[in-house]
Short mmCIF file of all heavy atoms in Angstrom, two decimals:
data_model
loop_
_atom_site.label_atom_id
_atom_site.label_comp_id
_atom_site.label_asym_id
_atom_site.label_seq_id
_atom_site.Cartn_x
_atom_site.Cartn_y
_atom_site.Cartn_z
N THR A 359 8.50 -0.56 -31.53
CA THR A 359 8.77 -0.94 -32.92
C THR A 359 10.26 -1.14 -33.13
O THR A 359 11.08 -0.86 -32.24
CB THR A 359 8.25 0.13 -33.90
OG1 THR A 359 9.00 1.34 -33.70
CG2 THR A 359 6.77 0.40 -33.70
N VAL A 360 10.59 -1.59 -34.33
CA VAL A 360 11.99 -1.79 -34.69
C VAL A 360 12.14 -1.40 -36.15
O VAL A 360 11.16 -1.42 -36.92
CB VAL A 360 12.40 -3.26 -34.43
CG1 VAL A 360 11.75 -4.20 -35.42
CG2 VAL A 360 13.90 -3.44 -34.40
N GLY A 361 13.33 -1.02 -36.54
CA GLY A 361 13.61 -0.68 -37.94
C GLY A 361 14.27 -1.84 -38.66
O GLY A 361 14.85 -2.72 -38.03
N PRO A 362 14.22 -1.86 -39.99
CA PRO A 362 14.79 -2.97 -40.73
C PRO A 362 16.31 -3.10 -40.59
O PRO A 362 16.86 -4.20 -40.75
CB PRO A 362 14.40 -2.68 -42.19
CG PRO A 362 14.16 -1.20 -42.22
CD PRO A 362 13.61 -0.85 -40.89
N ASP A 363 16.98 -1.99 -40.30
CA ASP A 363 18.44 -2.02 -40.16
C ASP A 363 18.90 -2.25 -38.72
O ASP A 363 20.10 -2.40 -38.48
CB ASP A 363 19.05 -0.71 -40.69
CG ASP A 363 18.77 -0.52 -42.17
OD1 ASP A 363 18.72 -1.53 -42.89
OD2 ASP A 363 18.56 0.64 -42.58
N ASP A 364 17.96 -2.28 -37.77
CA ASP A 364 18.33 -2.61 -36.39
C ASP A 364 18.76 -4.08 -36.32
O ASP A 364 18.36 -4.91 -37.14
CB ASP A 364 17.15 -2.39 -35.44
CG ASP A 364 16.85 -0.92 -35.22
OD1 ASP A 364 17.80 -0.13 -35.16
OD2 ASP A 364 15.66 -0.57 -35.11
N THR A 365 19.58 -4.39 -35.33
CA THR A 365 20.05 -5.77 -35.19
C THR A 365 19.00 -6.64 -34.49
O THR A 365 18.13 -6.13 -33.78
CB THR A 365 21.36 -5.83 -34.40
OG1 THR A 365 21.10 -5.39 -33.05
CG2 THR A 365 22.44 -4.96 -35.03
N LEU A 366 19.14 -7.94 -34.67
CA LEU A 366 18.26 -8.86 -33.96
C LEU A 366 18.46 -8.75 -32.46
O LEU A 366 17.53 -8.96 -31.67
CB LEU A 366 18.51 -10.29 -34.43
CG LEU A 366 18.12 -10.61 -35.88
CD1 LEU A 366 18.44 -12.07 -36.20
CD2 LEU A 366 16.65 -10.31 -36.12
N ASP A 367 19.68 -8.42 -32.04
CA ASP A 367 19.96 -8.23 -30.62
C ASP A 367 19.12 -7.07 -30.08
O ASP A 367 18.50 -7.18 -29.03
CB ASP A 367 21.44 -7.98 -30.41
CG ASP A 367 21.81 -7.90 -28.94
OD1 ASP A 367 21.43 -8.83 -28.19
OD2 ASP A 367 22.45 -6.92 -28.53
N THR A 368 19.08 -5.96 -30.83
CA THR A 368 18.28 -4.81 -30.42
C THR A 368 16.80 -5.19 -30.36
O THR A 368 16.09 -4.85 -29.40
CB THR A 368 18.47 -3.65 -31.41
OG1 THR A 368 19.83 -3.22 -31.35
CG2 THR A 368 17.55 -2.48 -31.09
N ALA A 369 16.35 -5.90 -31.40
CA ALA A 369 14.93 -6.28 -31.44
C ALA A 369 14.57 -7.18 -30.26
O ALA A 369 13.52 -6.98 -29.61
CB ALA A 369 14.63 -7.03 -32.74
N PHE A 370 15.42 -8.15 -29.95
CA PHE A 370 15.11 -9.06 -28.84
C PHE A 370 15.09 -8.32 -27.51
O PHE A 370 14.22 -8.56 -26.66
CB PHE A 370 16.13 -10.20 -28.79
CG PHE A 370 15.93 -11.13 -27.65
CD1 PHE A 370 14.77 -11.90 -27.56
CD2 PHE A 370 16.85 -11.23 -26.62
CE1 PHE A 370 14.56 -12.76 -26.49
CE2 PHE A 370 16.65 -12.08 -25.55
CZ PHE A 370 15.50 -12.84 -25.49
N LYS A 371 16.00 -7.39 -27.32
CA LYS A 371 16.02 -6.62 -26.07
C LYS A 371 14.74 -5.78 -25.93
O LYS A 371 14.20 -5.63 -24.83
CB LYS A 371 17.25 -5.73 -26.01
CG LYS A 371 18.54 -6.52 -25.73
CD LYS A 371 19.76 -5.62 -25.77
CE LYS A 371 21.03 -6.43 -25.46
NZ LYS A 371 22.26 -5.62 -25.60
N ARG A 372 14.26 -5.25 -27.05
CA ARG A 372 13.01 -4.47 -26.99
C ARG A 372 11.82 -5.37 -26.69
O ARG A 372 10.91 -4.99 -25.94
CB ARG A 372 12.79 -3.72 -28.31
CG ARG A 372 13.77 -2.58 -28.50
CD ARG A 372 13.51 -1.79 -29.77
NE ARG A 372 14.56 -0.80 -29.98
CZ ARG A 372 14.65 -0.02 -31.04
NH1 ARG A 372 13.73 -0.10 -32.01
NH2 ARG A 372 15.64 0.84 -31.16
N MET A 373 11.81 -6.56 -27.27
CA MET A 373 10.74 -7.51 -26.96
C MET A 373 10.74 -7.84 -25.48
O MET A 373 9.70 -7.83 -24.82
CB MET A 373 10.94 -8.82 -27.75
CG MET A 373 10.57 -8.76 -29.21
SD MET A 373 10.84 -10.41 -29.93
CE MET A 373 10.45 -10.07 -31.65
N ARG A 374 11.91 -8.15 -24.97
CA ARG A 374 12.02 -8.56 -23.57
C ARG A 374 11.65 -7.41 -22.65
O ARG A 374 10.95 -7.59 -21.65
CB ARG A 374 13.43 -9.05 -23.28
CG ARG A 374 13.63 -9.67 -21.92
CD ARG A 374 14.98 -10.35 -21.83
NE ARG A 374 16.06 -9.44 -22.19
CZ ARG A 374 17.33 -9.82 -22.29
NH1 ARG A 374 17.67 -11.08 -22.10
NH2 ARG A 374 18.25 -8.94 -22.62
N GLY A 375 12.10 -6.19 -22.97
CA GLY A 375 11.83 -5.05 -22.12
C GLY A 375 10.35 -4.68 -22.09
O GLY A 375 9.85 -4.22 -21.06
N ALA A 376 9.66 -4.89 -23.23
CA ALA A 376 8.24 -4.55 -23.30
C ALA A 376 7.34 -5.73 -23.02
O ALA A 376 6.11 -5.58 -23.01
CB ALA A 376 7.92 -3.97 -24.69
N ASP A 377 7.93 -6.91 -22.81
CA ASP A 377 7.17 -8.13 -22.55
C ASP A 377 6.19 -8.41 -23.68
O ASP A 377 5.01 -8.67 -23.45
CB ASP A 377 6.43 -8.03 -21.21
CG ASP A 377 5.93 -9.39 -20.71
OD1 ASP A 377 6.49 -10.42 -21.13
OD2 ASP A 377 4.98 -9.41 -19.92
N VAL A 378 6.70 -8.36 -24.91
CA VAL A 378 5.90 -8.71 -26.09
C VAL A 378 6.65 -9.77 -26.88
O VAL A 378 7.85 -9.96 -26.72
CB VAL A 378 5.62 -7.48 -26.98
CG1 VAL A 378 4.78 -6.47 -26.24
CG2 VAL A 378 6.91 -6.85 -27.49
N SER A 379 5.92 -10.47 -27.76
CA SER A 379 6.54 -11.55 -28.55
C SER A 379 6.68 -11.19 -30.01
O SER A 379 7.20 -11.98 -30.79
CB SER A 379 5.71 -12.82 -28.41
OG SER A 379 4.38 -12.60 -28.84
N GLN A 380 6.22 -9.99 -30.43
CA GLN A 380 6.39 -9.57 -31.81
C GLN A 380 6.53 -8.05 -31.88
O GLN A 380 6.05 -7.33 -31.01
CB GLN A 380 5.23 -10.03 -32.69
CG GLN A 380 3.89 -9.39 -32.36
CD GLN A 380 3.17 -10.02 -31.22
OE1 GLN A 380 3.10 -11.25 -31.16
NE2 GLN A 380 2.65 -9.22 -30.31
N LEU A 381 7.21 -7.60 -32.93
CA LEU A 381 7.43 -6.17 -33.11
C LEU A 381 7.09 -5.77 -34.55
O LEU A 381 7.52 -6.44 -35.50
CB LEU A 381 8.90 -5.79 -32.86
CG LEU A 381 9.45 -5.95 -31.45
CD1 LEU A 381 10.95 -5.66 -31.45
CD2 LEU A 381 8.74 -5.04 -30.48
N PRO A 382 6.34 -4.68 -34.74
CA PRO A 382 6.16 -4.14 -36.09
C PRO A 382 7.50 -3.57 -36.58
O PRO A 382 8.25 -2.96 -35.80
CB PRO A 382 5.13 -3.03 -35.90
CG PRO A 382 4.58 -3.21 -34.53
CD PRO A 382 5.62 -3.91 -33.73
N VAL A 383 7.77 -3.76 -37.87
CA VAL A 383 8.99 -3.19 -38.47
C VAL A 383 8.57 -1.99 -39.30
O VAL A 383 7.82 -2.13 -40.29
CB VAL A 383 9.72 -4.23 -39.33
CG1 VAL A 383 11.03 -3.64 -39.87
CG2 VAL A 383 9.99 -5.50 -38.53
N LEU A 384 9.02 -0.81 -38.92
CA LEU A 384 8.62 0.43 -39.58
C LEU A 384 9.81 1.06 -40.29
O LEU A 384 10.93 1.06 -39.77
CB LEU A 384 8.03 1.43 -38.59
CG LEU A 384 6.78 1.01 -37.80
CD1 LEU A 384 6.31 2.16 -36.92
CD2 LEU A 384 5.66 0.56 -38.72
N GLN A 385 9.55 1.61 -41.47
CA GLN A 385 10.56 2.37 -42.20
C GLN A 385 9.89 3.65 -42.70
O GLN A 385 8.91 3.59 -43.44
CB GLN A 385 11.11 1.57 -43.37
CG GLN A 385 12.27 2.24 -44.08
CD GLN A 385 12.92 1.33 -45.10
OE1 GLN A 385 12.24 0.68 -45.89
NE2 GLN A 385 14.25 1.25 -45.07
#
Side-chain angles (χ1 to χ4, degrees):
T359 65
V360 71
D363 298 326
D364 288 323
T365 65
L366 293 180
D367 185 51
T368 296
F370 177 64
K371 286 176 179 175
R372 289 183 186 176
M373 284 182 184
R374 188 170 54 186
D377 195 23
V378 296
S379 58
Q380 66 278 315
L381 294 175
V383 184
L384 300 183
Q385 187 172 46

